[in-house]
Amino acid sequence: MSSQEDGEISSPEITAIGISFGNSNSSIAYTSGEGKAEVIANEEGDRQIPSVLSYIEGEEYHGTQAKSQLVRNSRNTIAYFRDYLGKDFDSIDPTPCHASAHPQKHESTIAFSVQDKESEAQNIVTVSEITTRHIRRLASSASDFLGKSVNAAVITVPTNVTDEQREALSEAAKAAGVDVLQMISEPTAAVLAYDARPEAILKDKIIVVADLGGTRSDMAVVASRGGVYSILSTSHDYETAGVQLDQVLIDHFAKEFIKKNKTDPRENERSLAKLKLEAEATKKALSLGGNASCSVESLADGIDFSSTINRTRYELLAGKVFGAFTRLIEEAVRKADLDILDVDEVILSGGTSHTPKISQNLQRLFPPTTRILSPSTLPTAIDPSSLSARGAAIQASLVQEFEKEDIEQSTHPMVTVTPHLRNAIGVMVVSEDVQKGLFSALIEKETAVPCRRTGLFAVPREGGDVVVKICEGLRDIKVSKKEKPKTNGKPASDDSDLDSDEDEDGDEEIREKVWKIGAVLAEAAVKGVKKGGKVEVTIKVEADLAVQVEAREAGGKGGVRGSLGKARVAENGSAGSG
Amino acid sequence: MAAVQFSLPLPVLPQDWVGEKDFKAIGQLSSATQRNIEPVGPHFLAHARRVSKLPLINRNIFAATNSDLQQKRHQRTFSEDDRIQAQENVKKVEDDDVGEISEPEDPLMLQRDAKDWKGQDHYAVLGLTKHRYKATETQIKRAHRKKVLRHHPDKKAAAGSSEDDSFFKCIQKATEILLDPVKRRQFDSVDEAADVEPPSKKQAQKGSFFKLWNPVFVAEGRFSKTQPVPRLGDDKSKKEEVEEFYNFWYNFDSWRSFEYQDEDVPDDNENRDQKRHVERKNNNARKKKKTEDTTRLRQLVDDCLAGDERIKRFKKEERAGKDKKRLEKEAAEKKEKEDAQRAAEEKERLRKEAEEASKAEKAEGKKAKEAAKNAVKKNKRVLKSSVKDANYLLPAGQEAGAKRVDQVLNDVEAVMAKIDPEEMAALAGKLGGMKVAEEVAKVWSEEAKRLVEVGKVKEGELKVIGS
């Protein structure tokens, strides 16, 4: 900033990239000239760069090379450190680091003790220092690829990071010569990555972003309203993630090994590390093909191990973990006070999302109208592991031209905190049941104000005078039982105790989304509409919740205007029960 | 956003619709929720410009002087206070991270050996003794995380203490079991710490029945395949509710199983026969325990039923109902009897009355007869005396001979014998007080004539009077 205070606007040219900094893997992306986000591969050709650093005799290894050091040089290899940044020692979970350098308390922060110089001495390297080194490596890879020095970035963070964590990350990046323009949350980055595609249609929708990572899974329910995103609920799980799937394979192969050789490879640290690396590779292979092999040279006691597994077997073994993923998503939807039927899209993000079974389970859970955006269910889906990096790159291209202070100011809560509509607003149209009318939503609920929507409505065949009745709509879930053809013809009440379980499974419930009409807001009359004409209704909700209504014949002049007074903004104390 | 097309038509304007300038405001928008919008994407930038009117100036395009910018910005800078104020009412989407372990840890538990995991109370290990079978998956996961944060051996080792990870293994085992729905159910089946002992006889005598028994059934209800389980209720429960409760408990469908207490677990490496033997043994043990459990529950429900005042009350009420019917019946019978008796009495009375009446009538009749007799005698006297006073119907001065007297008196006698008392009375009335012989004679002859006309007397029978 100091350079800009000299009185001159001209500052060094900013080259900004998007960084997705994950616990297990990181990825970097940039926005090409055509505005398309592209993922950058590092020198080794990896687009998924393991967030691992390893030191051998003063030399630093990064990414895949460092990860392979987990077998031979685990004590000088640092992995899974992202979540430790900006935290104190008491509040971290050291489990993922069990097979690498262990975190330890160092003053008020967390550090690793590694031999990162040529000398034999153990050096204390703090988490922020490691982060700086990691980001420096990422930035240099990007610089090499782009041919110009990268000096700014938009970094994605989970939704539950604290201000201290943000601060620590920002400092660490700055130390690496990367100015953090903005930190955006991972789920919104994923949504943005999809919405920034040229073929994307701007639509109001509810999106569930399931970020299934290596060591944690984060769920977020996002309301996308005219391209403005609001997170309705989040949930985080540290017990259900990619490593649990690896563990299933590790256990499977270990058992197989024990059967033949009477030694448990899991008991030896190095054997376990080898098997772990190989199991992860096998898991990835199983996401693509129906069969995968796992072979480890000298797994334990100098015995080589080689085995194959097919996908069905794997899916059976990991069934419980897959079920847990589905439950996580269900819970997040429930926490947002929504129903499964309200969800328009599910975006699967993170490396674990490649697993076909997870998306298949989701397809079964959600109605057919819900789009599951994952590679195995949608051919046009974006690679889930690069979603947040792409989103970050797009955001970087949007904000890199602005002054940093302006970005800070415009992302200030004074700007971002906005009233969201509690109920949908819509217009009554004629339905088959003439008496009742049908609600058709123009503005969905959870839309941030100010907002404005226009709808074109048909009129009766012969034209004439019509009434535009504007009201609030409440979404309701109608549950009806599907009539099951009785095969045995016995009455349902008969010995219900015995076959009640079967009945619950057999009786299919039909759940439908229906609108209940809420408060009527206004009525407007549009007179003398031509035969075959249309009525254009525009509803505008101002920032202070005043409503303006405009109705006129499409293409006609004048029309009816009216407004409603302001409404109250509710005060909310806390989130719903967890 | 582009206009949305709606294919269903708008309704026709009703005839009687009135609105000022064709618009009628009716209601108001529901209150809105404060939320954070994500500061991401092109549309957010547009929103930010609209809301804050911030000079989001592209510095490559605008060659404004820095001081200009600074000034503009200065007017628009949001302070820390603004941030706090703005965030105040926002609906939170993140859960509060509860860092502290809520339940104190028993030092004895911390020294447990993970190998003895069957004997450990998994809920206690995770600090969930308050929730037990009610703990949700999220709660278990959070509890696990909390415990890991505190007890991870790597952390302890880093802090310099010994690398004793036995309790950590206990934590892992507990989590493994509780997060696996099948294993958790097996553990819950034998989780005696969640049981509530039924009250002893002494307690039952002292304490309130509902307070003592309700927790017992709530705890037992966790094993029910059908949920929700009917509640014990209270004093005011209706008879149907109480009956439903006991019916439910006597037909209890339990998912409780006893695999967890298997003594031997067959190993993959053992031979098939051995495995089968162990399995059979286990199955028998499970069955036995299941039967015992069913018996225990039945006994428990029996005990409860025995102590349930409501049942006694309902019986009493029922009995009271029956008694009431019986009494009513009896009363009806009694009434009938009384009615019959009364009817009989009435009859008797009427009969007596009639008797008396007839008696009185008889007496009356006697009197009247006597009176009539007297009257007849009197009238006869009048008649006789009238002829005597009229000188036996002879003109005055003529002496009536004995023969004449006899004749006249005979006639009179004959007339008197022929006429009934009324006629006699009328005749006596005519004759009474009459002294003139001619007049008396005339009356007599008239009487004789009348008698002849009537046919009571023959012509010529009355010799003197009729002449």
Side-chain angles (χ1 to χ4, degrees):
Chain A
M1 284 283 129
S2 58
S3 67
Q4 287 162 24
E5 280 157 19
D6 296 346
E8 280 295 318
I9 282 290
S10 59
S11 48
E13 202 196 336
I14 287 183
T15 311
I17 54 165
I19 300 179
S20 152
F21 174 24
N23 242 337
S24 321
N25 292 296
S26 299
S27 49
I28 42 181
Y30 75 106
T31 311
S32 67
E34 303 96 71
K36 226 179 144 201
E38 301 279 3
V39 185
I40 301 169
N42 70 357
E43 300 80 7
E44 292 153 67
D46 289 329
R47 287 186 166 78
Q48 284 302 301
I49 305 159
S51 305
V52 185
L53 287 154
S54 184
Y55 297 92
I56 305 168
E57 289 167 3
E59 204 167 331
E60 185 184 74
Y61 291 85
H62 182 237
T64 315
Q65 283 185 346
K67 197 173 181 180
S68 58
Q69 292 298 323
L70 282 171
V71 177
R72 296 160 147 265
N73 187 26
S74 62
R75 290 292 150 245
N76 289 321
T77 305
I78 302 169
Y80 302 111
F81 54 88
R82 199 272 314 263
D83 273 356
Y84 301 157
L85 191 63
K87 286 216 171 173
D88 62 347
F89 190 68
D90 286 338
S91 60
I92 60 156
D93 175 11
T95 317
C97 288
H98 187 66
S100 58
H102 290 182
Q104 49 186 261
K105 200 179 164 89
H106 175 68
E107 287 158 11
S108 64
T109 171
I110 297 151
F112 298 91
S113 171
V114 289
Q115 206 178 308
D116 65 339
K117 298 276 152 38
E118 271 185 72
S119 64
E120 290 279 298
Q122 291 280 329
N123 278 327
I124 299 282
V125 186
T126 61
V127 163
S128 25
E129 174 58 24
I130 279 297
T131 310
T132 303
R133 291 180 191 177
H134 177 58
I135 291 175
R136 191 180 287 137
R137 293 296 293 256
L138 293 175
S140 87
S141 296
S143 300
D144 290 350
F145 181 87
L146 295 170
K148 46 188 174 180
S149 164
V150 168
N151 52 12
V154 169
I155 302 186
T156 60
V157 289
T159 53
N160 63 344
V161 291
T162 59
D163 287 344
E164 293 85 59
Q165 282 172 287
R166 281 170 186 268
E167 188 58 35
L169 178 56
S170 183
E171 301 258 308
K174 191 173 263 180
V178 176
D179 194 13
V180 180
L181 295 176
Q182 194 186 346
M183 271 178 247
I184 63 173
S185 64
E186 284 162 359
T188 18
V191 176
L192 185 62
Y194 271 106
D195 273 359
R197 296 201 294 185
E199 67 267 30
I201 309 156
L202 193 59
K203 236 175 70 182
D204 287 350
K205 54 194 170 187
I206 295 282
I207 309 163
V208 175
V209 184
D211 189 346
L212 315 175
T215 55
R216 55 186 280 181
S217 294
D218 302 282
M219 308 293 144
V221 180
V222 183
S224 165
R225 302 287 184 236
V228 174
Y229 312 121
S230 316
I231 293 184
L232 304 181
S233 81
T234 60
S235 65
H236 311 279
D237 195 304
Y238 304 88
E239 318 286 333
T240 316
V243 288
Q244 269 71 29
L245 293 175
D246 296 344
Q247 193 61 45
V248 168
L249 287 173
I250 292 172
D251 291 342
H252 169 73
F253 290 130
K255 269 183 198 153
E256 211 162 289
F257 191 79
I258 295 169
K259 241 181 202 167
K260 287 178 194 155
N261 305 302
K262 308 270 177 222
T263 338
D264 189 348
R266 289 171 295 183
E267 273 163 13
N268 180 309
E269 216 171 273
R270 188 178 277 197
S271 305
L272 180 61
K274 275 182 185 171
L275 188 57
K276 205 173 193 173
L277 278 180
E278 198 51 37
E280 199 184 326
T282 311
K283 177 186 77 175
K284 283 178 182 166
L286 279 172
S287 294
L288 298 172
N291 255 307
S293 68
C294 172
S295 54
V296 186
E297 251 178 57
S298 175
L299 178 56
D301 300 343
I303 306 163
D304 294 350
F305 173 70
S306 184
S307 169
T308 57
I309 183 168
N310 66 20
R311 196 188 273 173
T312 320
R313 183 76 190 266
Y314 165 58
E315 282 168 359
L316 270 174
L317 289 169
K320 275 176 194 160
V321 187
F322 291 145
F325 281 119
T326 317
R327 283 202 297 278
L328 279 179
I329 290 169
E330 269 182 294
E331 194 207 311
V333 174
R334 204 167 32 241
K335 258 172 92 177
D337 290 330
L338 293 175
D339 191 85
I340 291 294
L341 294 176
D342 291 320
V343 178
D344 301 298
E345 253 174 37
V346 179
I347 295 178
L348 287 181
S349 163
T352 308
S353 310
H354 285 285
T355 316
K357 188 68 183 175
I358 295 177
S359 8
Q360 281 164 16
N361 283 348
L362 291 180
Q363 258 179 335
R364 221 174 309 146
L365 172 69
F366 287 97
T369 46
T370 305
R371 297 209 307 155
I372 314 282
L373 303 176
S374 80
S376 64
T377 49
L378 196 74
T380 56
I382 304 173
D383 173 19
S385 19
S386 70
L387 273 175
S388 20
R390 281 173 203 265
I394 292 154
Q395 182 66 11
S397 75
L398 289 172
V399 297
Q400 67 176 345
E401 302 298 336
F402 299 136
E403 290 288 341
K404 195 167 178 214
E405 207 169 316
D406 282 346
I407 299 170
E408 264 164 28
Q409 288 292 300
S410 59
T411 58
H412 192 279
M414 282 296 276
V415 179
T416 61
V417 174
T418 318
H420 285 58
L421 295 181
R422 187 157 288 184
N423 298 318
I425 304 174
V427 175
M428 297 299 296
V429 293
V430 176
S431 70
E432 284 139 30
D433 188 357
V434 186
Q435 293 301 309
K436 282 170 94 180
L438 198 73
F439 179 86
S440 36
L442 207 51
I443 310 183
E444 291 283 348
K445 76 169 189 170
E446 301 297 359
T447 301
V449 295
C451 61
R452 170 202 165 111
R453 295 287 186 278
T454 306
L456 276 173
F457 291 89
V459 294
R461 222 165 282 144
E462 58 282 356
D465 298 351
V466 290
V467 63
V468 179
K469 190 173 170 191
I470 290 154
C471 43
E472 289 194 333
L474 301 132
R475 195 268 292 130
D476 203 28
I477 300 291
K478 199 173 105 186
V479 182
S480 46
K481 280 251 168 75
K482 198 177 188 173
E483 283 296 317
K484 194 174 62 171
K486 296 259 187 232
T487 43
N488 44 8
K490 64 174 177 182
S493 58
D494 203 11
D495 58 12
S496 54
D497 271 5
L498 280 170
D499 53 14
S500 61
D501 285 1
E502 290 167 42
D503 279 357
E504 272 160 24
D505 295 336
D507 261 353
E508 262 187 80
E509 274 185 350
I510 308 174
R511 308 179 78 244
E512 286 173 286
K513 215 166 121 173
V514 290
W515 286 104
K516 267 206 306 202
I517 296 147
V520 178
L521 299 176
E523 282 178 4
V526 180
K527 289 177 179 163
V529 182
K530 274 189 235 106
K531 199 174 167 183
K534 291 211 170 213
V535 172
E536 190 183 86
V537 181
T538 304
I539 302 175
K540 201 170 149 190
V541 185
E542 303 287 356
D544 57 4
L545 292 171
V547 182
Q548 285 188 14
V549 180
E550 200 185 314
R552 63 187 173 121
E553 193 180 345
K557 278 180 193 164
V560 188
R561 277 160 206 267
S563 59
L564 296 172
K566 300 167 191 177
R568 200 167 50 86
V569 176
E571 303 200 349
N572 304 291
S574 62
S577 61
Chain B
M1 282 191 41
V4 193
Q5 299 271 354
F6 293 93
S7 54
L8 286 170
L10 289 166
V12 176
L13 188 72
Q15 289 293 321
D16 52 350
W17 195 87
V18 241
E20 202 181 322
K21 282 183 182 168
D22 290 344
F23 184 80
K24 191 159 73 175
I26 298 167
Q28 216 183 22
L29 218 55
S30 307
S31 56
T33 320
Q34 286 281 32
R35 285 184 193 279
N36 258 316
I37 55 175
E38 292 292 294
V40 167
H43 298 276
F44 170 76
L45 290 183
H47 170 88
R49 261 187 226 117
R50 272 200 306 269
V51 172
S52 64
K53 297 178 184 68
L54 264 177
L56 271 177
I57 292 163
N58 189 326
R59 64 183 147 179
N60 295 347
I61 297 170
F62 291 98
T65 62
N66 198 25
S67 59
D68 242 12
L69 264 182
Q70 290 284 339
Q71 207 183 347
K72 270 185 188 168
R73 206 182 285 137
H74 191 71
Q75 292 165 346
R76 277 282 155 193
T77 303
F78 299 122
S79 68
E80 189 60 30
D81 286 347
D82 290 337
R83 168 196 287 276
I84 293 161
Q85 200 194 334
Q87 291 286 24
E88 217 166 46
N89 295 329
V90 172
K91 182 151 187 152
K92 278 193 220 154
V93 290
E94 294 293 338
D95 300 321
D96 294 322
D97 192 27
V98 202
E100 262 314 292
I101 294 165
S102 47
E103 286 179 21
E105 289 165 336
D106 182 3
L108 265 176
M109 184 180 75
L110 293 180
Q111 279 158 20
R112 280 200 76 92
D113 190 353
K115 273 181 191 142
D116 179 29
W117 60 270
K118 283 231 166 175
Q120 101 183 357
D121 180 352
H122 303 306
Y123 290 112
V125 167
L126 292 183
L128 288 168
T129 48
K130 274 189 212 121
H131 303 286
R132 293 209 169 266
Y133 61 96
K134 287 182 218 123
T136 62
E137 195 178 346
T138 322
Q139 273 174 326
I140 294 167
K141 279 178 179 168
R142 278 202 195 163
H144 172 239
R145 194 167 163 75
K146 273 192 247 168
K147 290 285 173 186
V148 167
L149 291 187
R150 183 185 270 200
H151 294 288
H152 200 286
D154 287 356
K155 254 181 164 178
K156 278 184 184 163
S161 64
S162 68
E163 211 166 319
D164 172 28
D165 62 348
S166 62
F167 185 61
F168 183 69
K169 279 185 182 151
C170 293
I171 295 172
Q172 298 300 76
K173 194 74 206 178
T175 315
E176 182 202 318
I177 285 168
L178 295 186
L179 281 183
D180 183 330
V182 176
K183 286 187 187 161
R184 184 176 178 190
R185 192 152 261 210
Q186 290 177 359
F187 174 68
D188 279 343
S189 284
V190 295
D191 182 15
E192 275 166 8
D195 285 344
V196 179
E197 282 299 311
S200 64
K201 277 196 179 138
K202 240 184 208 170
Q203 278 174 313
Q205 275 170 357
K206 270 189 214 161
S208 138
F209 174 80
F210 300 105
K211 241 185 216 165
L212 287 171
W213 280 100
N214 202 25
V216 177
F217 283 104
V218 169
E220 289 294 335
R222 72 186 192 270
F223 299 122
S224 174
K225 273 183 193 163
T226 40
Q227 296 281 358
V229 175
R231 301 291 298 259
L232 179 60
D234 53 28
D235 245 337
K236 290 173 200 84
S237 301
K238 286 196 200 82
K239 193 180 168 195
E240 296 83 57
E241 287 166 352
V242 177
E243 270 171 5
E244 196 212 327
F245 174 82
Y246 283 107
N247 277 343
F248 178 89
W249 282 101
Y250 277 120
N251 301 316
F252 193 71
D253 191 8
S254 161
W255 49 256
R256 199 171 185 183
S257 61
F258 295 90
E259 292 100 323
Y260 199 83
Q261 289 169 342
D262 284 352
E263 274 166 25
D264 265 327
V265 181
D267 201 315
D268 281 349
N269 299 333
E270 275 166 302
N271 72 40
R272 207 178 342 165
D273 291 337
Q274 175 68 13
K275 247 196 233 171
R276 278 189 189 160
H277 171 69
V278 172
E279 259 166 29
R280 212 175 303 130
K281 219 170 80 183
N282 283 343
N283 271 338
N284 286 341
R286 286 176 206 167
K287 257 183 213 157
K288 202 179 152 206
K289 278 175 188 153
K290 180 90 182 170
T291 323
E292 277 169 9
D293 184 56
T294 316
T295 325
R296 178 193 63 86
L297 184 67
R298 192 153 272 257
Q299 183 60 44
L300 191 137
V301 182
D302 279 342
D303 287 349
C304 177
L305 184 68
D308 197 339
E309 289 296 330
R310 292 175 301 181
I311 299 292
K312 284 174 198 159
R313 203 184 68 219
F314 291 139
K315 271 196 185 147
K316 212 169 165 187
E317 268 167 23
E318 207 176 310
R319 213 181 300 134
K322 265 188 197 161
D323 280 359
K324 204 176 154 197
K325 260 185 205 161
R326 203 195 60 207
L327 283 177
E328 263 170 19
K329 207 174 157 191
E330 277 176 7
E333 271 170 16
K334 199 174 166 191
K335 203 181 160 208
E336 212 171 283
K337 230 185 234 171
E338 275 174 2
D339 279 353
Q341 205 179 342
R342 211 174 296 139
E345 273 170 12
E346 183 72 24
K347 216 171 156 187
E348 181 73 2
R349 191 180 61 83
L350 281 177
R351 195 181 56 79
K352 265 184 188 163
E353 253 174 30
E355 225 166 65
E356 262 164 35
S358 64
K359 236 185 215 168
E361 216 171 290
K362 264 183 197 164
E364 198 89 333
K366 231 180 183 173
K367 245 184 210 167
K369 257 186 193 163
E370 233 139 87
K373 254 188 194 162
N374 287 343
V376 168
K377 268 183 191 163
K378 198 183 161 191
N379 286 343
K380 277 184 180 168
R381 234 183 352 257
V382 170
L383 295 186
K384 276 181 188 162
S385 66
S386 71
V387 266
K388 194 182 165 190
D389 288 348
N391 199 18
Y392 301 98
L393 308 177
L394 285 177
Q398 267 185 23
E399 194 60 41
K403 204 188 164 190
R404 171 88 189 172
V405 171
D406 221 29
Q407 273 178 333
V408 169
L409 283 178
N410 272 345
D411 278 358
V412 169
E413 287 286 323
V415 168
M416 276 190 306
K418 295 290 177 192
I419 61 176
D420 44 22
E422 282 85 37
E423 287 166 329
M424 196 185 290
L427 192 59
K430 277 183 198 166
L431 291 173
M434 232 185 249
K435 297 281 186 232
V436 186
E438 284 83 13
E439 276 172 14
V440 174
K442 198 180 160 195
V443 172
W444 276 111
S445 69
E446 270 172 18
E447 183 61 26
K449 239 182 231 167
R450 191 186 63 85
L451 287 174
V452 171
E453 275 166 23
V454 174
K456 280 187 178 171
V457 183
K458 282 176 201 154
E459 188 109 37
E461 199 182 330
L462 302 174
K463 289 166 187 142
V464 184
I465 300 169
S467 61

